[in-house]
Amino acid sequence: MAARLAGASKDAARPRPQSGPSSARTEETRSSSKQGTSSEERPSEYLARLGCASNISGLSPELSLGVAGHCEEDGHTMYEISCALRPAEQKFSPTVWSCKRRLCHLREGLHDKVKDSLGEAYAAHFADAPFARRGGMPGTTARLGTWLGVLARCLSTGVLPADCCAQVLRFLDAPIPEGGRGDSWPMAAPSSPARPAVAASTRDAAESSVRA
Protein backbone atom coordinates (compact mmCIF):
# COMPACT_ATOMS: atom_id res chain seq x y z
CA MET A 1 0.00 0.00 0.00
CA ALA A 2 2.85 2.41 0.88
CA ALA A 3 4.56 1.71 -2.45
CA ARG A 4 1.29 2.36 -4.32
CA LEU A 5 0.79 5.67 -2.53
CA ALA A 6 4.38 6.68 -3.29
CA GLY A 7 3.86 5.93 -6.97
CA ALA A 8 0.68 8.00 -7.03
CA SER A 9 2.54 10.91 -5.40
CA LYS A 10 5.23 10.76 -8.08
CA ASP A 11 2.61 10.81 -10.85
CA ALA A 12 0.91 13.81 -9.26
CA ALA A 13 4.20 15.69 -8.96
CA ARG A 14 5.23 14.95 -12.53
CA PRO A 15 4.62 18.07 -14.71
CA ARG A 16 1.99 17.66 -17.37
CA PRO A 17 1.92 19.47 -20.72
CA GLN A 18 -0.41 22.44 -20.65
CA SER A 19 -3.05 22.76 -23.32
CA GLY A 20 -4.16 26.09 -24.65
CA PRO A 21 -4.63 28.17 -27.78
CA SER A 22 -1.91 27.95 -30.40
CA SER A 23 0.73 30.67 -30.20
CA ALA A 24 1.88 33.04 -32.91
CA ARG A 25 4.92 30.82 -33.44
CA THR A 26 2.59 27.92 -34.30
CA GLU A 27 0.71 30.16 -36.74
CA GLU A 28 3.97 31.17 -38.40
CA THR A 29 5.14 27.55 -38.68
CA ARG A 30 1.79 26.55 -40.16
CA SER A 31 2.00 29.39 -42.66
CA SER A 32 5.49 28.33 -43.73
CA SER A 33 4.25 24.79 -44.25
CA LYS A 34 1.41 25.98 -46.46
CA GLN A 35 3.76 27.97 -48.66
CA GLY A 36 6.35 25.21 -48.93
CA THR A 37 8.95 27.16 -46.95
CA SER A 38 11.09 25.89 -44.12
CA SER A 39 12.69 27.41 -41.06
CA GLU A 40 16.07 26.99 -42.78
CA GLU A 41 15.10 29.21 -45.71
CA ARG A 42 16.85 32.56 -45.46
CA PRO A 43 14.73 35.75 -45.54
CA SER A 44 16.44 36.85 -48.77
CA GLU A 45 15.50 33.57 -50.48
CA TYR A 46 11.90 33.79 -49.32
CA LEU A 47 11.58 37.41 -50.44
CA ALA A 48 13.11 36.50 -53.80
CA ARG A 49 10.37 33.92 -54.35
CA LEU A 50 7.81 36.65 -53.71
CA GLY A 51 9.50 39.06 -56.10
CA CYS A 52 10.36 41.35 -53.18
CA ALA A 53 14.13 40.98 -53.09
CA SER A 54 16.37 44.01 -53.35
CA ASN A 55 17.43 44.72 -56.92
CA ILE A 56 19.43 47.28 -58.85
CA SER A 57 16.29 49.03 -60.10
CA GLY A 58 15.71 50.40 -56.62
CA LEU A 59 12.01 49.54 -56.74
CA SER A 60 10.22 48.43 -53.58
CA PRO A 61 7.22 46.12 -53.20
CA GLU A 62 3.88 47.72 -52.39
CA LEU A 63 1.84 46.06 -49.65
CA SER A 64 -1.72 46.98 -48.71
CA LEU A 65 -3.38 45.71 -45.55
CA GLY A 66 -6.81 46.18 -43.99
CA VAL A 67 -9.44 44.51 -41.85
CA ALA A 68 -12.36 43.14 -43.85
CA GLY A 69 -14.31 42.13 -40.74
CA HIS A 70 -14.39 39.59 -37.95
CA CYS A 71 -16.31 36.46 -37.00
CA GLU A 72 -16.55 33.93 -34.19
CA GLU A 73 -14.90 30.54 -34.65
CA ASP A 74 -14.68 27.95 -31.85
CA GLY A 75 -15.35 30.60 -29.26
CA HIS A 76 -12.63 32.95 -30.52
CA THR A 77 -12.90 36.19 -32.48
CA MET A 78 -11.11 35.88 -35.81
CA TYR A 79 -10.16 39.02 -37.72
CA GLU A 80 -10.07 38.73 -41.49
CA ILE A 81 -7.03 40.56 -42.85
CA SER A 82 -7.27 41.65 -46.48
CA CYS A 83 -3.89 41.76 -48.22
CA ALA A 84 -2.56 42.89 -51.61
CA LEU A 85 1.05 42.78 -52.75
CA ARG A 86 2.62 44.27 -55.86
CA PRO A 87 6.10 42.75 -56.15
CA ALA A 88 9.08 44.94 -56.93
CA GLU A 89 9.98 42.84 -59.97
CA GLN A 90 7.70 43.23 -62.97
CA LYS A 91 7.92 39.57 -63.98
CA PHE A 92 5.91 38.70 -60.85
CA SER A 93 2.18 39.25 -60.94
CA PRO A 94 0.37 41.12 -58.13
CA THR A 95 -1.43 38.96 -55.58
CA VAL A 96 -4.55 39.52 -53.50
CA TRP A 97 -5.53 37.27 -50.60
CA SER A 98 -6.90 37.23 -47.07
CA CYS A 99 -6.20 35.39 -43.84
CA LYS A 100 -7.89 35.05 -40.46
CA ARG A 101 -6.03 35.63 -37.21
CA ARG A 102 -6.89 36.07 -33.55
CA LEU A 103 -5.96 39.35 -31.91
CA CYS A 104 -3.47 37.67 -29.56
CA HIS A 105 -1.68 36.11 -32.55
CA LEU A 106 -1.61 39.44 -34.37
CA ARG A 107 -0.05 41.03 -31.32
CA GLU A 108 2.59 38.31 -30.89
CA GLY A 109 3.24 37.53 -34.55
CA LEU A 110 3.18 41.07 -35.97
CA HIS A 111 3.14 43.85 -33.39
CA ASP A 112 5.79 42.44 -31.05
CA LYS A 113 8.14 41.39 -33.86
CA VAL A 114 7.86 44.72 -35.67
CA LYS A 115 8.38 46.66 -32.45
CA ASP A 116 11.46 44.62 -31.56
CA SER A 117 12.84 45.02 -35.09
CA LEU A 118 12.42 48.81 -35.25
CA GLY A 119 13.49 49.47 -31.69
CA GLU A 120 13.32 53.15 -30.76
CA ALA A 121 12.14 54.05 -34.27
CA TYR A 122 8.85 52.22 -33.68
CA ALA A 123 7.35 55.08 -31.67
CA ALA A 124 8.06 57.57 -34.45
CA HIS A 125 6.32 55.53 -37.15
CA PHE A 126 3.37 54.26 -35.08
CA ALA A 127 2.78 57.28 -32.83
CA ASP A 128 -0.64 57.92 -34.39
CA ALA A 129 -1.53 54.23 -34.78
CA PRO A 130 -1.55 52.44 -31.41
CA PHE A 131 -2.18 48.73 -31.55
CA ALA A 132 -5.56 47.32 -30.52
CA ARG A 133 -6.16 46.91 -26.80
CA ARG A 134 -6.41 43.49 -25.19
CA GLY A 135 -9.82 41.98 -24.58
CA GLY A 136 -11.56 42.97 -27.81
CA MET A 137 -12.67 46.38 -26.56
CA PRO A 138 -14.94 48.59 -28.71
CA GLY A 139 -12.95 50.13 -31.53
CA THR A 140 -10.63 47.14 -31.90
CA THR A 141 -11.31 46.70 -35.62
CA ALA A 142 -10.66 50.38 -36.37
CA ARG A 143 -7.45 50.51 -34.34
CA LEU A 144 -6.23 47.28 -35.89
CA GLY A 145 -6.97 48.54 -39.40
CA THR A 146 -5.06 51.77 -38.81
CA TRP A 147 -2.08 49.92 -37.36
CA LEU A 148 -1.98 47.49 -40.29
CA GLY A 149 -2.05 50.42 -42.71
CA VAL A 150 1.06 51.92 -41.11
CA LEU A 151 2.73 48.50 -41.11
CA ALA A 152 2.08 48.16 -44.84
CA ARG A 153 3.55 51.62 -45.46
CA CYS A 154 6.67 50.76 -43.45
CA LEU A 155 7.24 47.62 -45.50
CA SER A 156 6.56 49.39 -48.81
CA THR A 157 8.93 52.28 -48.08
CA GLY A 158 11.84 50.16 -46.93
CA VAL A 159 11.59 51.03 -43.24
CA LEU A 160 11.46 47.40 -42.15
CA PRO A 161 14.62 45.26 -42.37
CA ALA A 162 14.52 42.32 -44.76
CA ASP A 163 14.22 39.70 -42.02
CA CYS A 164 11.23 41.51 -40.51
CA CYS A 165 9.60 41.83 -43.95
CA ALA A 166 9.92 38.08 -44.38
CA GLN A 167 8.39 37.46 -40.94
CA VAL A 168 5.43 39.72 -41.74
CA LEU A 169 4.70 38.12 -45.11
CA ARG A 170 5.11 34.60 -43.76
CA PHE A 171 2.70 35.33 -40.92
CA LEU A 172 0.14 36.66 -43.41
CA ASP A 173 0.43 33.55 -45.63
CA ALA A 174 1.56 35.58 -48.66
CA PRO A 175 1.12 33.34 -51.72
CA ILE A 176 3.97 32.82 -54.18
CA PRO A 177 2.99 34.93 -57.23
CA GLU A 178 2.73 33.71 -60.79
CA GLY A 179 5.24 34.81 -63.41
CA GLY A 180 8.57 33.87 -61.90
CA ARG A 181 10.58 32.55 -58.99
CA GLY A 182 13.68 33.66 -57.13
CA ASP A 183 17.07 32.60 -58.48
CA SER A 184 17.45 30.25 -55.51
CA TRP A 185 14.26 28.43 -56.42
CA PRO A 186 14.32 27.84 -60.21
CA MET A 187 11.28 26.32 -61.84
CA ALA A 188 11.54 23.27 -64.03
CA ALA A 189 11.28 24.06 -67.72
CA PRO A 190 7.83 23.16 -69.04
CA SER A 191 7.65 20.29 -71.49
CA SER A 192 6.85 21.16 -75.10
CA PRO A 193 3.35 20.17 -76.19
CA ALA A 194 3.03 17.44 -78.76
CA ARG A 195 2.39 18.61 -82.31
CA PRO A 196 -1.04 17.82 -83.73
CA ALA A 197 -1.18 14.83 -86.05
CA VAL A 198 -2.64 16.94 -88.87
CA ALA A 199 0.43 19.19 -88.78
CA ALA A 200 2.72 16.17 -89.22
CA SER A 201 0.61 14.86 -92.13
CA THR A 202 0.74 18.23 -93.88
CA ARG A 203 4.52 18.39 -93.47
CA ASP A 204 4.95 14.85 -94.89
CA ALA A 205 2.78 15.71 -97.87
CA ALA A 206 4.83 18.82 -98.56
CA GLU A 207 8.09 16.84 -98.45
CA SER A 208 6.68 14.23 -100.85
CA SER A 209 5.71 16.89 -103.37
CA VAL A 210 9.22 18.36 -103.25
CA ARG A 211 10.82 14.95 -103.91
CA ALA A 212 8.42 14.35 -106.83
Side-chain angles (χ1 to χ4, degrees):
M1 178 65 71
R4 187 176 303 174
L5 291 175
S9 299
K10 290 181 180 181
D11 293 338
R14 186 178 302 152
R16 297 182 180 180
Q18 297 180 354
S19 60
S22 59
S23 63
R25 183 180 299 274
T26 302
E27 290 289 338
E28 186 175 350
T29 303
R30 187 178 302 150
S31 300
S32 299
S33 177
K34 288 181 181 179
Q35 296 302 325
T37 64
S38 68
S39 59
E40 298 179 355
E41 184 180 9
R42 293 179 298 178
S44 59
E45 294 173 337
Y46 175 68
L47 294 175
R49 291 209 292 155
L50 292 173
C52 299
S54 301
N55 53 70
I56 58 175
S57 66
L59 298 176
S60 298
E62 292 184 7
L63 177 66
S64 298
L65 297 174
V67 182
H70 58 83
C71 61
E72 297 295 321
E73 293 185 4
D74 298 329
H76 302 294
T77 301
M78 306 293 292
Y79 293 88
E80 183 176 359
I81 312 302
S82 57
C83 317
L85 177 65
R86 185 190 66 78
E89 300 180 54
Q90 295 183 354
K91 68 178 182 179
F92 291 82
S93 60
T95 53
V96 178
W97 76 100
S98 65
C99 62
K100 292 181 180 180
R101 296 289 184 268
R102 292 177 58 187
L103 183 60
C104 61
H105 295 157
L106 289 165
R107 178 179 290 105
E108 296 173 11
L110 286 184
H111 171 266
D112 292 355
K113 292 184 181 296
V114 171
K115 189 174 182 179
D116 290 343
S117 180
L118 293 179
E120 296 180 357
Y122 176 87
H125 292 287
F126 290 87
D128 297 327
F131 194 75
R133 297 187 180 94
R134 299 178 184 272
M137 304 295 291
T140 295
T141 300
R143 289 170 68 104
L144 183 58
T146 302
W147 188 89
L148 288 171
V150 176
L151 172 62
R153 184 169 70 245
C154 288
L155 188 147
S156 301
T157 56
V159 172
L160 296 182
D163 58 342
C164 187
C165 292
Q167 288 178 331
V168 169
L169 295 173
R170 277 194 178 111
F171 179 85
L172 296 172
D173 284 345
I176 304 301
E178 297 293 336
R181 293 294 188 273
D183 295 337
S184 300
W185 298 84
M187 294 181 64
S191 57
S192 301
R195 293 184 178 182
V198 63
S201 300
T202 303
R203 182 184 59 201
D204 293 340
E207 293 176 353
S208 299
S209 62
V210 171
R211 288 197 297 268

